[in-house]
Amino acid sequence: MSPTPHNATHGGDPAGAPVSFEIYPPRPGVPHDRLHATIAALAAVDPRFISVTFGAGGSTGGRSLEVLRHILESTDVEPLAHITCVGNSYGGASALIREFLDAGILNFLALRGDPPVGTTPDDVYTGDLESAAQLVQLIDRVQAEHSPYAEEGVLPGAVRVARRHEVQIAVAAFPNGHPRSRRARDDIDTLLAKQAAGATFAITQLFFHADQYLGFVERCRAAGVTIPILPGLMPITSPQRLRRVLELTEESLPSDLAIALDVEPTAEGQREIGIAHSARLARDVLAGGAPGVHLFAFNNHDTVLAVLGEAGILATA
Ligand code: FAD
C-alpha cells in the first residue's frame, strides 16, 4: 500500500479511514524489546506508514535507521524516515539520504529541525542547508542519482528497464502557525514552496480543535496547495504531558482540555479524557475531509489504538 494519503477518498466515514503513526528511537542503552512490541501492535492495524523521528543535530541518525530497518524487516508497513537540516550540510545530508535509500527506505519527512536546547542557530546551521524545501529537492536529487532505473524480468532471458519506485517526500505544516513565523501567510507560502520543491504530502503539527486544521486546509487550498495535508493528532493523557508538549511546540494552551485534565484526580480518568478528546478530533477532521489521521504514539500502542477504537476508525472487539 502506498504511504501517500489521497485527498479524502473515504467520504468522511471514520470506519476504515487511513491511519499512520509516529514513533521515536529509544535513548542509547534502552533495550528495544518494548518498542518492537509496540511496532508489532501498530503494524497489526495496517497503517499506511510508521514514521521515525530524527534528533536535531543528527544525534539519532543511526538509531533512527535501526528502528526503520526493524519496521522494514519485521512488518509489511512502509517505514518513513524523518530527516532534518539542523546539524547537516548538503554533503552530510546527501550521505545520510543515500544510507537510508541503501537500506530500502523510500519515504521521508523533510524538516528544518530545531536547534537543540543550549545551542544557537549559528551552532547548527552549517550555512548551506537551511530550509525544508531545500531538503525536499536534495532528497529528490539523491534518489534520482541513486537509482534512476531498475531492470524488470519480462520473459526468461529478457529484461525491461523501468523507472524505479519514486520516493515519497512529506513535509511539516502548521495549522496554528510556526512559532517563528512573522505572519500567518508565511506558513502557507512555505508550504507552497515545499510543494513546488517536490513534496508529495504534508503532516501537520498537533492542534487541539478541528476548526484549526479545517480552516488551515481551506486557506491552503485557496492559495494553491494541492498536496494532501494529513492531520497530526497527539493524545494528551495528563496535565504534565500537556505542559511538556506546549513547551516543545509553543502551541497555545487549549483551556477546555487543560481544565478537564486538571480537575480529574485519577491518572486513569485523565487518560480517558485524553483519548476521548483525540477520538472526537479524529472524527471531526475526517468528517471535514481529512485524508486520514496521523497519531503521535509516544512509543506506546495502547493509547493510540484506544483513540482509533473510540473514534470508530478501528472495529473494536
Ligand atoms: P520550514 O518549512 O523550513 O519552516 C517552517 C516555518 O517556520 C515557516 O513558516 C517559516 O517561515 C518559519 N520560520 C521562520 N523563521 C524560522 C526559524 N528561525 N526557524 C524555523 N522556522 C522558521 N524536528 C526534529 O528535530 N526532528 C523530528 O523528527 C521532527 N519531526 C516533526 C514532525 C512533524 C509532523 C512536525 C510538524 C514537526 C517536526 N519537527 C521535528 C519539528 C520541526 O523540525 C520544527 O517545527 C522546525 O522549526 C520547522 O521545521 P519545518 O520543516 O517546518 O521548517
Side-chain angles (χ1 to χ4, degrees), residues 11-287:
D13 181 6
V19 301
S20 53
F21 302 105
E22 176 185 298
I23 57 174
Y24 55 83
R27 275 195 286 279
V30 174
H32 282 219
D33 320 18
R34 276 188 61 184
L35 180 59
H36 290 177
T38 284
I39 290 171
L42 297 176
V45 304
D46 200 20
R48 287 284 165 125
F49 61 86
I50 298 178
S51 79
V52 181
T53 65
F54 187 89
S59 56
T60 64
R63 285 188 281 131
S64 295
L65 187 53
E66 206 181 324
V67 177
L68 291 158
R69 274 211 178 96
H70 177 81
I71 297 169
L72 200 59
E73 287 161 9
S74 67
T75 75
D76 292 329
V77 179
E78 289 279 345
L80 183 147
H82 296 204
I83 300 193
T84 62
C85 300
V86 163
N88 270 320
S89 60
Y90 261 106
S94 306
L96 191 70
I97 296 160
R98 258 182 246 114
E99 199 183 342
F100 281 17
L101 290 168
D102 286 344
I105 311 300
L106 294 170
N107 311 297
F108 297 91
L109 173 57
L111 298 150
R112 179 200 291 261
D114 288 317
V117 178
T119 61
T120 67
D122 288 345
D123 297 330
V124 289
Y125 292 117
T126 55
D128 62 353
L129 186 59
E130 290 183 340
S131 78
Q134 289 173 338
L135 187 54
V136 170
Q137 282 178 324
L138 183 63
I139 294 170
D140 198 41
R141 204 167 60 237
V142 173
Q143 144 76 4
E145 288 163 8
H146 181 268
S147 46
Y149 300 105
E151 287 184 346
E152 272 181 355
V154 182
L155 292 168
V159 290
R160 181 172 60 197
V161 173
R163 185 99 177 113
R164 213 183 259 284
H165 182 49
E166 294 271 336
V167 289
Q168 298 300 326
I169 312 174
V171 291
F174 296 84
N176 294 324
H178 186 279
R180 241 75 67 216
S181 292
R182 278 184 295 272
R183 295 165 303 145
R185 172 72 210 195
D186 286 355
D187 292 293
I188 296 179
D189 288 346
T190 309
L191 189 54
L192 276 169
K194 295 192 229 186
Q195 172 176 284
T200 52
F201 67 104
I203 307 176
T204 75
Q205 180 61 288
L206 67 94
F207 54 91
F208 296 101
H209 297 109
D211 301 353
Q212 296 167 338
Y213 165 81
L214 296 173
F216 174 69
V217 172
E218 208 176 301
R219 292 193 299 282
C220 285
R221 297 290 177 242
V225 176
T226 53
I227 54 174
I229 302 175
L230 198 52
L233 305 185
M234 184 178 290
I236 304 285
T237 49
S238 70
Q240 296 80 348
R241 174 166 289 177
L242 179 60
R243 271 195 292 279
R244 176 84 187 117
V245 161
L246 295 180
E247 245 171 62
L248 286 173
T249 60
E250 301 180 48
E251 289 289 323
S252 314
L253 182 79
S255 47
D256 49 348
L257 179 62
I259 293 167
L261 289 171
D262 272 337
V263 299
E264 168 56 46
T266 68
E268 193 42 42
Q270 290 171 351
R271 183 170 175 273
E272 279 167 20
I273 289 169
I275 289 171
H277 183 271
S278 285
R280 201 165 43 247
L281 207 48
R283 277 194 304 272
D284 290 350
V285 292
L286 288 169

